[in-house]
Amino acid sequence: DQQVKQNSPSLSVQEGRISILNCDYTNSMFDYFLWYKKYPAEGPTFLISISSIKDKNEDGRFTVFLNKSAKHLSLHIVPSQPGDSAVYFCAASGGSNYKLTFGKGTLLTVNP
Amino acid sequence: DARVTQTPRDKVTEMGQEVTMRCQPILGHNTVFWYRQTMMQGLELLAYFRNRAPLDDSGMPKDRFSAEMPDATLATLKIQPSEPRDSAVYFCASGTTLYEQFFGPGTRLTVL
């Protein structure tokens, strides 16, 4: 049973436009959410996070939105750049343990 | 520039052989995680340690996998005997905060 779902395996956008990556979760105990970015042959790197007490967190070109009632979060990248082309993983955590539950990832391709 | 290091980066072995993967966490990080990435399952947590003590290994096949931290600078993941279905990329990650994890570059394992 997948608790964190990224239903779009891939997304292609034009440079300069907005990229929107989506993530849904089922476990209502999750209270902290993260996005990781992964380039080929490298490990995932932390991008941005959001606590369940907020509905938005912004860091430069990256904004994460959280809709708790819908159990949905999204990552917006504006403007998209070719260097943003990577696999993006959504992850969630809840309670006092250190476990992150990851989605399967979305491959973002930003075309010049 | 502190990084998690993993060795080997690539490993090709035959079914039935023992495989040992090593990880050096970032100095000062007291939590270490082992993940496996496959196309079908995405990123799965296998086990994690806090202050060298195993906290959770429920994601690991117990009959063939074992994870240890002989000291604070070394974590190991062993598979004995290895099987073709173990072929995957294995990531080690370390951290100190409740949520943020720093990933190594991974070990790509191929079991023939």
Side-chain angles (χ1 to χ4, degrees), chain A residues 2 31-34 36 38 40-46 49 87 89 92-105, chain B residues 9 30-31 33 35 37 39-45 48 50 55-56 58 91 96-106 108:
Chain A
Q2 228 184 331
D31 58 7
Y32 201 80
F33 304 89
L34 306 89
Y36 279 78
K38 184 184 179 305
E42 295 183 10
T45 55
F46 170 75
S49 63
V87 175
F89 289 98
S93 183
S96 59
N97 64 51
Y98 292 78
K99 294 173 68 168
L100 289 181
T101 301
F102 283 83
K104 291 189 178 181
Chain B
R9 292 294 309 274
N30 59 1
T31 310
F33 306 81
Y35 289 90
Q37 184 187 16
M39 291 295 292
M40 292 298 294
Q41 299 297 328
L43 264 171
E44 305 173 271
L45 178 66
Y48 72 102
R50 171 110 169 128
L55 287 192
D56 190 333
S58 59
F91 290 102
T96 55
T97 66
L98 196 59
Y99 306 108
E100 190 170 326
Q101 300 176 19
F102 295 82
F103 282 77
R108 180 177 297 277

Short mmCIF file of all heavy atoms in Angstrom, two decimals, chain A residues 2 31-34 36 38 40-46 49 87 89 92-105, chain B residues 9 30-31 33 35 37 39-45 48 50 55-56 58 91 96-106 108:
data_model
loop_
_atom_site.label_atom_id
_atom_site.label_comp_id
_atom_site.label_asym_id
_atom_site.label_seq_id
_atom_site.Cartn_x
_atom_site.Cartn_y
_atom_site.Cartn_z
N GLN A 2 0.80 2.00 -1.09
CA GLN A 2 1.67 3.16 -1.22
C GLN A 2 1.08 4.33 -0.46
O GLN A 2 -0.04 4.78 -0.78
CB GLN A 2 1.80 3.51 -2.69
CG GLN A 2 3.21 3.72 -3.14
CD GLN A 2 3.27 4.16 -4.58
OE1 GLN A 2 2.41 3.81 -5.38
NE2 GLN A 2 4.26 4.94 -4.91
N ASP A 31 3.13 14.66 9.13
CA ASP A 31 3.04 16.08 9.49
C ASP A 31 4.21 16.91 8.97
O ASP A 31 4.34 18.08 9.30
CB ASP A 31 2.94 16.23 11.02
CG ASP A 31 4.12 15.60 11.75
OD1 ASP A 31 5.09 15.17 11.08
OD2 ASP A 31 4.08 15.53 12.99
N TYR A 32 5.04 16.28 8.16
CA TYR A 32 6.16 17.01 7.58
C TYR A 32 6.44 16.43 6.21
O TYR A 32 6.46 15.21 6.05
CB TYR A 32 7.40 16.89 8.47
CG TYR A 32 8.43 17.96 8.25
CD1 TYR A 32 8.27 19.22 8.82
CD2 TYR A 32 9.57 17.72 7.49
CE1 TYR A 32 9.22 20.21 8.63
CE2 TYR A 32 10.51 18.70 7.30
CZ TYR A 32 10.33 19.94 7.87
OH TYR A 32 11.27 20.92 7.68
N PHE A 33 6.63 17.34 5.25
CA PHE A 33 6.74 16.90 3.86
C PHE A 33 7.97 17.54 3.22
O PHE A 33 8.30 18.69 3.49
CB PHE A 33 5.47 17.29 3.09
CG PHE A 33 4.22 16.75 3.74
CD1 PHE A 33 3.56 17.50 4.71
CD2 PHE A 33 3.73 15.50 3.40
CE1 PHE A 33 2.43 17.00 5.33
CE2 PHE A 33 2.59 15.00 4.01
CZ PHE A 33 1.94 15.75 4.98
N LEU A 34 8.63 16.76 2.37
CA LEU A 34 9.87 17.23 1.76
C LEU A 34 9.85 16.90 0.28
O LEU A 34 9.21 15.95 -0.16
CB LEU A 34 11.09 16.56 2.40
CG LEU A 34 11.22 16.63 3.92
CD1 LEU A 34 10.53 15.46 4.60
CD2 LEU A 34 12.70 16.63 4.31
N TYR A 36 12.76 16.14 -2.71
CA TYR A 36 14.14 15.87 -3.03
C TYR A 36 14.28 15.86 -4.55
O TYR A 36 13.36 15.48 -5.28
CB TYR A 36 14.58 14.50 -2.49
CG TYR A 36 14.95 14.49 -1.02
CD1 TYR A 36 13.97 14.48 -0.04
CD2 TYR A 36 16.28 14.47 -0.63
CE1 TYR A 36 14.31 14.46 1.31
CE2 TYR A 36 16.63 14.45 0.71
CZ TYR A 36 15.64 14.45 1.67
OH TYR A 36 15.99 14.42 2.99
N LYS A 38 16.85 14.55 -7.76
CA LYS A 38 17.88 13.55 -8.04
C LYS A 38 18.33 13.63 -9.49
O LYS A 38 17.51 13.47 -10.40
CB LYS A 38 17.37 12.15 -7.71
CG LYS A 38 18.46 11.08 -7.88
CD LYS A 38 17.90 9.71 -7.65
CE LYS A 38 19.00 8.66 -7.86
NZ LYS A 38 19.66 8.74 -9.18
N PRO A 40 20.91 11.89 -12.45
CA PRO A 40 21.43 10.54 -12.73
C PRO A 40 22.78 10.30 -12.06
O PRO A 40 23.62 11.20 -12.00
CB PRO A 40 21.56 10.54 -14.26
CG PRO A 40 20.58 11.55 -14.73
CD PRO A 40 20.56 12.62 -13.69
N ALA A 41 22.97 9.11 -11.55
CA ALA A 41 24.22 8.66 -10.93
C ALA A 41 24.57 9.45 -9.67
O ALA A 41 25.73 9.42 -9.23
CB ALA A 41 25.38 8.71 -11.92
N GLU A 42 23.60 10.15 -9.09
CA GLU A 42 23.83 10.84 -7.83
C GLU A 42 22.73 10.46 -6.85
O GLU A 42 21.67 9.96 -7.24
CB GLU A 42 23.83 12.36 -8.03
CG GLU A 42 24.96 12.88 -8.89
CD GLU A 42 24.93 14.40 -8.99
OE1 GLU A 42 24.16 15.04 -8.24
OE2 GLU A 42 25.66 14.93 -9.82
N GLY A 43 22.97 10.73 -5.56
CA GLY A 43 21.92 10.52 -4.58
C GLY A 43 20.95 11.68 -4.57
O GLY A 43 21.26 12.77 -5.06
N PRO A 44 19.75 11.47 -4.04
CA PRO A 44 18.79 12.58 -3.92
C PRO A 44 19.35 13.69 -3.04
O PRO A 44 20.09 13.43 -2.09
CB PRO A 44 17.58 11.91 -3.25
CG PRO A 44 17.73 10.46 -3.52
CD PRO A 44 19.20 10.20 -3.54
N THR A 45 19.01 14.92 -3.36
CA THR A 45 19.40 16.07 -2.54
C THR A 45 18.15 16.82 -2.10
O THR A 45 17.20 16.97 -2.87
CB THR A 45 20.34 17.03 -3.28
OG1 THR A 45 19.71 17.44 -4.49
CG2 THR A 45 21.66 16.38 -3.60
N PHE A 46 18.18 17.28 -0.86
CA PHE A 46 17.05 17.99 -0.28
C PHE A 46 16.80 19.30 -1.03
O PHE A 46 17.74 20.04 -1.34
CB PHE A 46 17.32 18.26 1.20
CG PHE A 46 16.33 19.19 1.84
CD1 PHE A 46 15.06 18.75 2.15
CD2 PHE A 46 16.69 20.51 2.10
CE1 PHE A 46 14.15 19.61 2.73
CE2 PHE A 46 15.78 21.37 2.67
CZ PHE A 46 14.51 20.93 2.99
N SER A 49 11.01 21.93 2.09
CA SER A 49 10.13 21.17 2.97
C SER A 49 9.00 22.05 3.47
O SER A 49 9.04 23.29 3.32
CB SER A 49 10.90 20.59 4.15
OG SER A 49 11.44 21.64 4.96
N VAL A 87 14.85 13.94 -11.54
CA VAL A 87 13.73 13.23 -10.92
C VAL A 87 13.43 13.90 -9.59
O VAL A 87 14.35 14.16 -8.80
CB VAL A 87 14.05 11.74 -10.71
CG1 VAL A 87 12.90 11.05 -9.96
CG2 VAL A 87 14.30 11.05 -12.04
N PHE A 89 11.43 13.67 -6.02
CA PHE A 89 10.76 12.77 -5.10
C PHE A 89 10.03 13.57 -4.02
O PHE A 89 10.60 14.50 -3.43
CB PHE A 89 11.76 11.85 -4.39
CG PHE A 89 12.37 10.81 -5.27
CD1 PHE A 89 13.62 11.02 -5.84
CD2 PHE A 89 11.71 9.62 -5.52
CE1 PHE A 89 14.20 10.05 -6.65
CE2 PHE A 89 12.28 8.65 -6.32
CZ PHE A 89 13.54 8.86 -6.89
N ALA A 92 7.41 12.06 2.97
CA ALA A 92 6.60 12.46 4.11
C ALA A 92 7.06 11.75 5.36
O ALA A 92 7.58 10.63 5.31
CB ALA A 92 5.12 12.16 3.84
N SER A 93 6.85 12.42 6.49
CA SER A 93 7.22 11.84 7.77
C SER A 93 6.18 12.21 8.81
O SER A 93 5.49 13.24 8.69
CB SER A 93 8.59 12.35 8.21
OG SER A 93 8.99 11.73 9.41
N GLY A 94 6.05 11.36 9.83
CA GLY A 94 5.07 11.67 10.87
C GLY A 94 5.48 11.08 12.20
O GLY A 94 6.21 10.09 12.24
N GLY A 95 5.06 11.67 13.28
CA GLY A 95 5.41 11.18 14.59
C GLY A 95 6.83 11.53 14.95
O GLY A 95 7.45 12.40 14.37
N SER A 96 7.38 10.80 15.92
CA SER A 96 8.70 11.15 16.43
C SER A 96 9.80 10.28 15.85
O SER A 96 10.95 10.37 16.26
CB SER A 96 8.71 10.98 17.95
OG SER A 96 8.37 9.64 18.28
N ASN A 97 9.47 9.46 14.86
CA ASN A 97 10.55 8.64 14.30
C ASN A 97 11.24 9.41 13.17
O ASN A 97 10.87 10.52 12.84
CB ASN A 97 10.02 7.28 13.82
CG ASN A 97 9.04 7.42 12.67
OD1 ASN A 97 9.32 8.09 11.69
ND2 ASN A 97 7.89 6.79 12.81
N TYR A 98 12.25 8.80 12.63
CA TYR A 98 13.06 9.47 11.62
C TYR A 98 12.79 8.96 10.23
O TYR A 98 13.54 9.21 9.31
CB TYR A 98 14.55 9.27 11.95
CG TYR A 98 14.98 9.99 13.20
CD1 TYR A 98 14.67 9.49 14.45
CD2 TYR A 98 15.69 11.18 13.11
CE1 TYR A 98 15.06 10.16 15.59
CE2 TYR A 98 16.09 11.84 14.25
CZ TYR A 98 15.77 11.33 15.49
OH TYR A 98 16.15 11.98 16.61
N LYS A 99 11.71 8.24 10.08
CA LYS A 99 11.48 7.60 8.79
C LYS A 99 10.84 8.55 7.80
O LYS A 99 9.92 9.28 8.12
CB LYS A 99 10.56 6.39 8.98
CG LYS A 99 11.18 5.29 9.80
CD LYS A 99 10.18 4.20 10.12
CE LYS A 99 9.75 3.42 8.92
NZ LYS A 99 9.03 2.21 9.29
N LEU A 100 11.36 8.50 6.58
CA LEU A 100 10.74 9.19 5.46
C LEU A 100 10.13 8.15 4.54
O LEU A 100 10.77 7.14 4.24
CB LEU A 100 11.76 10.01 4.68
CG LEU A 100 12.34 11.26 5.33
CD1 LEU A 100 13.32 11.93 4.38
CD2 LEU A 100 11.24 12.22 5.73
N THR A 101 8.91 8.41 4.10
CA THR A 101 8.27 7.56 3.11
C THR A 101 8.26 8.33 1.80
O THR A 101 7.75 9.45 1.74
CB THR A 101 6.83 7.21 3.52
OG1 THR A 101 6.87 6.53 4.78
CG2 THR A 101 6.19 6.30 2.49
N PHE A 102 8.85 7.73 0.78
CA PHE A 102 9.02 8.41 -0.50
C PHE A 102 7.99 7.96 -1.51
O PHE A 102 7.54 6.81 -1.53
CB PHE A 102 10.41 8.10 -1.08
CG PHE A 102 11.53 8.86 -0.44
CD1 PHE A 102 12.11 8.40 0.73
CD2 PHE A 102 12.02 10.02 -1.01
CE1 PHE A 102 13.15 9.09 1.33
CE2 PHE A 102 13.05 10.72 -0.42
CZ PHE A 102 13.62 10.26 0.76
N GLY A 103 7.66 8.89 -2.42
CA GLY A 103 6.93 8.52 -3.63
C GLY A 103 7.90 7.93 -4.63
O GLY A 103 9.11 7.87 -4.39
N LYS A 104 7.38 7.50 -5.78
CA LYS A 104 8.22 6.87 -6.78
C LYS A 104 8.95 7.85 -7.68
O LYS A 104 9.80 7.46 -8.46
CB LYS A 104 7.38 5.92 -7.64
CG LYS A 104 6.90 4.69 -6.88
CD LYS A 104 6.27 3.67 -7.82
CE LYS A 104 5.85 2.45 -7.04
NZ LYS A 104 5.26 1.41 -7.92
N GLY A 105 8.61 9.12 -7.56
CA GLY A 105 9.34 10.12 -8.31
C GLY A 105 8.67 10.54 -9.60
O GLY A 105 7.89 9.79 -10.20
N ARG B 9 30.94 1.88 -5.86
CA ARG B 9 29.91 2.60 -6.60
C ARG B 9 29.14 1.65 -7.51
O ARG B 9 27.94 1.84 -7.74
CB ARG B 9 30.55 3.71 -7.44
CG ARG B 9 31.14 4.84 -6.63
CD ARG B 9 30.05 5.61 -5.87
NE ARG B 9 28.96 6.03 -6.73
CZ ARG B 9 28.94 7.15 -7.44
NH1 ARG B 9 29.96 7.98 -7.38
NH2 ARG B 9 27.90 7.44 -8.19
N ASN B 30 24.24 11.57 13.55
CA ASN B 30 24.02 10.43 14.43
C ASN B 30 22.92 9.49 13.95
O ASN B 30 22.57 8.53 14.64
CB ASN B 30 23.71 10.91 15.86
CG ASN B 30 22.47 11.79 15.90
OD1 ASN B 30 21.83 12.03 14.89
ND2 ASN B 30 22.13 12.25 17.08
N THR B 31 22.36 9.79 12.78
CA THR B 31 21.32 8.91 12.24
C THR B 31 21.73 8.48 10.83
O THR B 31 22.11 9.32 10.01
CB THR B 31 19.96 9.62 12.20
OG1 THR B 31 19.72 10.21 13.47
CG2 THR B 31 18.84 8.65 11.90
N PHE B 33 20.74 5.92 7.46
CA PHE B 33 19.65 5.20 6.79
C PHE B 33 20.20 4.41 5.61
O PHE B 33 21.12 4.83 4.93
CB PHE B 33 18.61 6.19 6.24
CG PHE B 33 18.07 7.17 7.25
CD1 PHE B 33 18.79 8.31 7.59
CD2 PHE B 33 16.84 6.94 7.84
CE1 PHE B 33 18.28 9.20 8.51
CE2 PHE B 33 16.33 7.84 8.76
CZ PHE B 33 17.06 8.97 9.09
N TYR B 35 18.63 2.81 2.03
CA TYR B 35 17.49 2.76 1.11
C TYR B 35 17.85 1.90 -0.09
O TYR B 35 19.02 1.75 -0.45
CB TYR B 35 17.14 4.16 0.59
CG TYR B 35 16.54 5.11 1.58
CD1 TYR B 35 17.34 5.94 2.35
CD2 TYR B 35 15.16 5.20 1.73
CE1 TYR B 35 16.78 6.84 3.25
CE2 TYR B 35 14.58 6.09 2.62
CZ TYR B 35 15.40 6.90 3.37
OH TYR B 35 14.85 7.79 4.27
N GLN B 37 16.60 1.60 -4.23
CA GLN B 37 15.78 2.18 -5.29
C GLN B 37 15.65 1.20 -6.43
O GLN B 37 16.65 0.73 -6.99
CB GLN B 37 16.39 3.48 -5.81
CG GLN B 37 15.51 4.16 -6.86
CD GLN B 37 16.15 5.35 -7.52
OE1 GLN B 37 17.36 5.56 -7.44
NE2 GLN B 37 15.35 6.16 -8.17
N MET B 39 12.97 0.40 -10.04
CA MET B 39 11.97 1.02 -10.92
C MET B 39 10.56 0.75 -10.40
O MET B 39 9.70 1.61 -10.42
CB MET B 39 12.11 0.47 -12.34
CG MET B 39 13.37 0.92 -13.04
SD MET B 39 13.39 2.69 -13.32
CE MET B 39 12.08 2.84 -14.54
N MET B 40 10.36 -0.45 -9.91
CA MET B 40 9.00 -0.84 -9.50
C MET B 40 8.59 -0.20 -8.18
O MET B 40 7.45 0.24 -8.02
CB MET B 40 8.91 -2.37 -9.37
CG MET B 40 9.03 -3.10 -10.69
SD MET B 40 7.68 -2.66 -11.81
CE MET B 40 6.28 -3.35 -10.93
N GLN B 41 9.49 -0.17 -7.22
CA GLN B 41 9.13 0.26 -5.86
C GLN B 41 9.58 1.67 -5.51
O GLN B 41 9.19 2.20 -4.46
CB GLN B 41 9.71 -0.73 -4.83
CG GLN B 41 9.21 -2.14 -4.98
CD GLN B 41 7.72 -2.25 -4.76
OE1 GLN B 41 7.14 -1.50 -3.97
NE2 GLN B 41 7.08 -3.16 -5.47
N GLY B 42 10.40 2.25 -6.34
CA GLY B 42 10.92 3.57 -5.99
C GLY B 42 11.94 3.46 -4.88
O GLY B 42 12.67 2.48 -4.78
N LEU B 43 11.95 4.45 -3.99
CA LEU B 43 12.89 4.48 -2.87
C LEU B 43 12.26 3.84 -1.65
O LEU B 43 11.28 4.33 -1.11
CB LEU B 43 13.26 5.92 -2.52
CG LEU B 43 14.52 6.51 -3.11
CD1 LEU B 43 14.59 7.99 -2.81
CD2 LEU B 43 15.76 5.82 -2.57
N GLU B 44 12.85 2.74 -1.20
CA GLU B 44 12.32 2.04 -0.02
C GLU B 44 13.32 2.10 1.11
O GLU B 44 14.51 1.84 0.90
CB GLU B 44 12.11 0.55 -0.32
CG GLU B 44 11.28 0.19 -1.49
CD GLU B 44 11.35 -1.32 -1.71
OE1 GLU B 44 12.26 -1.77 -2.44
OE2 GLU B 44 10.52 -2.05 -1.15
N LEU B 45 12.84 2.38 2.31
CA LEU B 45 13.71 2.37 3.48
C LEU B 45 13.92 0.93 3.92
O LEU B 45 12.97 0.18 4.14
CB LEU B 45 13.07 3.16 4.61
CG LEU B 45 13.85 3.19 5.92
CD1 LEU B 45 15.16 3.96 5.75
CD2 LEU B 45 13.00 3.82 7.02
N TYR B 48 17.39 1.78 9.59
CA TYR B 48 18.09 2.96 10.02
C TYR B 48 18.57 2.84 11.46
O TYR B 48 18.06 2.04 12.24
CB TYR B 48 17.28 4.24 9.81
CG TYR B 48 16.10 4.49 10.71
CD1 TYR B 48 16.18 5.38 11.77
CD2 TYR B 48 14.88 3.89 10.44
CE1 TYR B 48 15.07 5.64 12.55
CE2 TYR B 48 13.77 4.15 11.22
CZ TYR B 48 13.86 5.03 12.26
OH TYR B 48 12.76 5.28 13.04
N ARG B 50 20.26 5.00 14.94
CA ARG B 50 20.42 6.26 15.66
C ARG B 50 21.48 6.02 16.71
O ARG B 50 21.35 5.10 17.52
CB ARG B 50 19.11 6.68 16.32
CG ARG B 50 19.25 7.86 17.25
CD ARG B 50 18.56 9.06 16.67
NE ARG B 50 18.44 10.13 17.64
CZ ARG B 50 18.84 11.36 17.40
NH1 ARG B 50 19.40 11.67 16.25
NH2 ARG B 50 18.68 12.30 18.30
N LEU B 55 17.30 1.08 14.87
CA LEU B 55 15.98 1.48 15.34
C LEU B 55 14.86 0.77 14.58
O LEU B 55 13.79 0.54 15.14
CB LEU B 55 15.80 3.00 15.20
CG LEU B 55 16.56 3.88 16.19
CD1 LEU B 55 16.05 5.32 16.10
CD2 LEU B 55 16.42 3.36 17.61
N ASP B 56 15.12 0.50 13.34
CA ASP B 56 14.07 -0.11 12.52
C ASP B 56 14.71 -0.80 11.34
O ASP B 56 15.43 -0.16 10.58
CB ASP B 56 13.09 0.97 12.03
CG ASP B 56 11.84 0.39 11.39
OD1 ASP B 56 11.91 -0.73 10.85
OD2 ASP B 56 10.81 1.07 11.39
N SER B 58 12.61 -3.07 9.57
CA SER B 58 11.43 -3.78 9.10
C SER B 58 11.33 -3.84 7.58
O SER B 58 10.62 -4.67 7.02
CB SER B 58 10.16 -3.15 9.68
OG SER B 58 10.07 -1.79 9.30
N PHE B 91 21.20 3.22 -1.49
CA PHE B 91 21.65 4.51 -1.00
C PHE B 91 21.80 4.47 0.52
O PHE B 91 20.99 3.89 1.23
CB PHE B 91 20.65 5.61 -1.35
CG PHE B 91 20.59 5.96 -2.80
CD1 PHE B 91 19.56 5.50 -3.59
CD2 PHE B 91 21.56 6.76 -3.37
CE1 PHE B 91 19.49 5.83 -4.93
CE2 PHE B 91 21.50 7.10 -4.71
CZ PHE B 91 20.47 6.62 -5.50
N THR B 96 21.00 14.67 11.15
CA THR B 96 20.92 14.97 12.57
C THR B 96 19.53 15.48 12.94
O THR B 96 19.06 15.25 14.05
CB THR B 96 21.93 16.05 12.99
OG1 THR B 96 21.73 17.21 12.15
CG2 THR B 96 23.35 15.56 12.83
N THR B 97 18.89 16.19 12.02
CA THR B 97 17.56 16.71 12.33
C THR B 97 16.55 15.59 12.16
O THR B 97 16.86 14.52 11.62
CB THR B 97 17.18 17.87 11.42
OG1 THR B 97 17.07 17.39 10.08
CG2 THR B 97 18.23 18.96 11.46
N LEU B 98 15.35 15.87 12.58
CA LEU B 98 14.33 14.84 12.54
C LEU B 98 14.00 14.40 11.11
O LEU B 98 13.59 13.27 10.87
CB LEU B 98 13.07 15.38 13.22
CG LEU B 98 12.01 14.36 13.63
CD1 LEU B 98 12.59 13.34 14.58
CD2 LEU B 98 10.84 15.08 14.26
N TYR B 99 14.21 15.28 10.17
CA TYR B 99 13.70 14.98 8.84
C TYR B 99 14.73 15.05 7.72
O TYR B 99 14.66 14.30 6.76
CB TYR B 99 12.57 15.95 8.49
CG TYR B 99 11.49 15.99 9.53
CD1 TYR B 99 11.34 17.08 10.38
CD2 TYR B 99 10.61 14.92 9.67
CE1 TYR B 99 10.35 17.10 11.33
CE2 TYR B 99 9.60 14.94 10.63
CZ TYR B 99 9.48 16.04 11.45
OH TYR B 99 8.50 16.06 12.39
N GLU B 100 15.67 15.98 7.81
CA GLU B 100 16.54 16.21 6.66
C GLU B 100 17.63 15.15 6.59
O GLU B 100 18.33 14.91 7.57
CB GLU B 100 17.16 17.60 6.73
CG GLU B 100 17.86 18.00 5.46
CD GLU B 100 18.26 19.47 5.46
OE1 GLU B 100 17.50 20.27 6.04
OE2 GLU B 100 19.31 19.79 4.92
N GLN B 101 17.76 14.52 5.44
CA GLN B 101 18.72 13.47 5.25
C GLN B 101 19.63 13.80 4.06
O GLN B 101 19.16 14.27 3.03
CB GLN B 101 18.00 12.14 4.99
CG GLN B 101 17.10 11.73 6.14
CD GLN B 101 16.32 10.48 5.87
OE1 GLN B 101 16.65 9.70 4.98
NE2 GLN B 101 15.27 10.26 6.63
N PHE B 102 20.90 13.51 4.22
CA PHE B 102 21.89 13.74 3.18
C PHE B 102 22.27 12.39 2.59
O PHE B 102 22.74 11.50 3.32
CB PHE B 102 23.12 14.44 3.75
CG PHE B 102 22.84 15.83 4.25
CD1 PHE B 102 22.29 16.02 5.52
CD2 PHE B 102 23.10 16.93 3.47
CE1 PHE B 102 22.01 17.30 5.99
CE2 PHE B 102 22.83 18.21 3.94
CZ PHE B 102 22.29 18.39 5.19
N PHE B 103 22.07 12.27 1.29
CA PHE B 103 22.28 10.99 0.63
C PHE B 103 23.67 10.86 0.02
O PHE B 103 24.24 11.83 -0.47
CB PHE B 103 21.25 10.81 -0.49
CG PHE B 103 19.88 10.42 -0.02
CD1 PHE B 103 19.04 11.36 0.55
CD2 PHE B 103 19.43 9.11 -0.15
CE1 PHE B 103 17.77 11.01 1.01
CE2 PHE B 103 18.16 8.75 0.29
CZ PHE B 103 17.34 9.71 0.86
N GLY B 104 24.17 9.63 0.04
CA GLY B 104 25.38 9.31 -0.70
C GLY B 104 25.06 9.08 -2.17
O GLY B 104 23.89 9.13 -2.56
N PRO B 105 26.09 8.81 -2.98
CA PRO B 105 25.88 8.65 -4.43
C PRO B 105 25.29 7.31 -4.82
O PRO B 105 24.88 7.12 -5.95
CB PRO B 105 27.30 8.79 -5.00
CG PRO B 105 28.17 8.33 -3.88
CD PRO B 105 27.50 8.75 -2.62
N GLY B 106 25.24 6.37 -3.88
CA GLY B 106 24.63 5.08 -4.15
C GLY B 106 25.61 4.02 -4.63
O GLY B 106 26.69 4.32 -5.14
N ARG B 108 25.38 0.79 -7.19
CA ARG B 108 24.54 0.09 -8.16
C ARG B 108 24.92 -1.38 -8.14
O ARG B 108 26.04 -1.74 -8.49
CB ARG B 108 24.73 0.66 -9.56
CG ARG B 108 23.89 -0.05 -10.62
CD ARG B 108 24.06 0.59 -11.98
NE ARG B 108 23.60 1.97 -11.97
CZ ARG B 108 22.32 2.34 -12.11
NH1 ARG B 108 21.38 1.42 -12.28
NH2 ARG B 108 21.99 3.61 -12.09
#
